[in-house]
């Protein structure tokens, strides 16, 4: 509920996904700095899941309306030849018809056909709650540590780090 320029959405989601991947082993989760473009950061999207060195899942995460990320998500889908791509944004999640319409209204990267695109739009808060519930106690601890790391190292607003520490003290 505290505005963060998207830091809370991206870094909480990435930290929880990281902890889940760590609990189950075999995969790695990476996220970029808040202000970096995906390409310059060397990541497929805001948050990516890798199996070995291959990107297997890509998430565009935003504090804005989900439709602002559709074109970017389609570019990621095409560039990394993924089976699907995800957008995590404030809810409520749209219907399948709304997603289909948004895809059809977006300029398609070469080689993509609108009817064959697998794009999911997740309510970022609901998805974070789901990830928390799937984590054991050590995983939740790992997620908190990773969130602190993301806030301290991947964005320039020291106030967000202070807010995080004060919330833990409550």
């Amino acid at each position: 509920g505290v505005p963060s320029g998207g830091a809370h959405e991206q870094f909480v989601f990435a930290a929880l996904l990281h902890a889940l991947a760590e609990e189950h082993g075999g995969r790695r989760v990476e996220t970029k700095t808040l202000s970096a473009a995906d390409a310059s950061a060397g990541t497929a999207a805001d948050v990516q899941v890798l199996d070995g060195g291959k990107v297997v899942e890509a998430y565009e995460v935003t504090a804005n309306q989900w439709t602002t990320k559709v074109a970017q998500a389609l570019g990621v889908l095409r560039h990394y030849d993924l089976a699907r791509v995800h957008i995590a944004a404030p809810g409520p999640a749209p219907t399948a018809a709304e997603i289909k319409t948004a895809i059809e209204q977006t300029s398609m990267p070469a080689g993509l056909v609108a009817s064959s695109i697998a794009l999911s739009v997740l309510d970022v808060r609901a998805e974070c709650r789901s990830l928390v519930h799937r984590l054991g106690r050590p995983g939740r601890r790992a997620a908190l540590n990773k969130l602190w790391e993301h806030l301290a190292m991947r964005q320039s607003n020291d106030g967000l780090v202070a807010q995080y520490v004060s919330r833990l003290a409550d």
Side-chain angles (χ1 to χ4, degrees):
V2 177
S4 65
H8 291 150
E9 290 80 3
Q10 180 178 328
F11 296 146
V12 169
F13 180 77
L16 291 166
L17 201 58
H18 166 84
L20 189 65
E22 195 173 77
E23 260 189 15
H24 294 281
R27 291 195 169 175
R28 189 174 82 249
V29 175
E30 295 178 349
T31 191
K32 64 181 190 68
T33 59
L34 195 60
S35 59
D38 297 341
S40 66
T43 61
D46 295 330
V47 179
Q48 64 183 12
V49 178
L50 298 109
D51 192 350
K54 181 178 176 12
V55 176
V56 292
E57 300 286 350
Y59 298 84
E60 289 297 336
V61 184
T62 183
N64 299 318
Q65 175 71 10
W66 66 273
T67 54
T68 64
K69 289 282 193 166
V70 173
Q72 194 170 351
L74 296 181
V76 167
L77 183 75
R78 170 68 178 97
H79 186 268
Y80 289 88
D81 193 29
L82 298 172
R84 63 182 176 223
V85 67
H86 314 279
I87 298 172
T95 65
E98 291 169 324
I99 294 170
K100 180 181 176 188
T101 299
I103 290 169
E104 290 170 346
Q105 293 175 348
T106 303
S107 178
M108 286 295 122
L112 288 184
V113 178
S115 62
S116 66
I117 292 172
L119 169 68
S120 67
V121 180
L122 311 166
D123 176 334
V124 69
R125 284 182 175 216
E127 191 63 20
C128 286
R129 283 186 202 105
S130 175
L131 289 167
V132 167
H133 291 291
R134 288 186 276 167
L135 289 169
R137 185 180 298 265
R140 291 190 302 268
R141 185 177 305 113
L144 285 173
N145 288 333
K146 185 55 85 171
L147 175 56
W148 178 85
E149 178 186 317
H150 290 331
L151 288 171
M153 306 301 286
R154 291 187 169 77
Q155 58 86 37
S156 59
N157 182 351
D158 289 338
L160 293 179
V161 178
Q163 283 177 352
Y164 173 74
V165 171
S166 72
R167 297 293 263 177
L168 287 177
D170 289 347

